[in-house]
Amino acid sequence: MGTYEAVSVHFEDLDAYGMVHHNKYPFLFERAFNSYLTRKGFPFGHASGSPIEMIQVVRSMQLTYDAPITRLGEIQVQFWLEYVGRTSFTYKFVILSADRATVHASGTRGMVNLDASTLRPAPLTQDLLNFSRPLMSDDLLATLEAREAQSASPDGDVPGI
């Protein structure tokens, strides 16, 4: 489910005991996430040449630490979309050893889509949803398809749902 991205643990990620400091785990997820977006051609900000109409900001972050990372080098980060609402979405992620045998940490990151001019929550665009589909579970895809069918129905009812 979702995707795996390899990222490097850097010397500056370590604490005085030679372990990745607890505040660096969100950065490991962020490195993996940005690597994925870059690889998929996501247009980042003004540098993309396109106008910024929507901004996604972090609303919540939750982490559980399972086993310390005690060395430099490559690790794996698995992540996927767990929830998609009208204006928000939630990623789940797992930080793993390079061979994926050890879970170092897991967590969630909730995001809110904002209108760039008002900085108020704004509906997720169809383009953003389409871009995000490869990160969605089958259950989430089914939920979104049912939601789309319901909004397309003149009376809001979806037969059989």
Side-chain angles (χ1 to χ4, degrees), residues 29-102:
F29 167 67
E30 192 69 30
R31 286 179 199 156
F33 186 69
N34 287 339
S35 174
Y36 173 82
L37 292 179
T38 300
R39 192 167 42 78
K40 295 296 185 179
F42 187 81
F44 281 101
H46 293 292
S48 70
S50 61
I52 298 175
E53 298 173 1
M54 300 291 170
I55 301 168
Q56 290 81 42
V57 296
V58 175
R59 181 174 190 269
S60 63
M61 184 79 145
Q62 177 274 325
L63 278 165
T64 300
Y65 304 97
D66 296 302
I69 300 172
T70 58
R71 54 189 291 201
L72 302 177
E74 186 177 278
I75 60 165
Q76 294 281 321
V77 180
Q78 180 189 22
F79 56 92
W80 62 95
L81 272 166
E82 180 74 6
Y83 166 82
V84 174
R86 194 177 74 77
T87 63
S88 64
F89 46 99
T90 301
Y91 290 99
K92 285 192 91 168
F93 61 91
V94 182
I95 298 174
L96 303 154
S97 58
D99 64 3
R100 301 181 187 169
T102 302

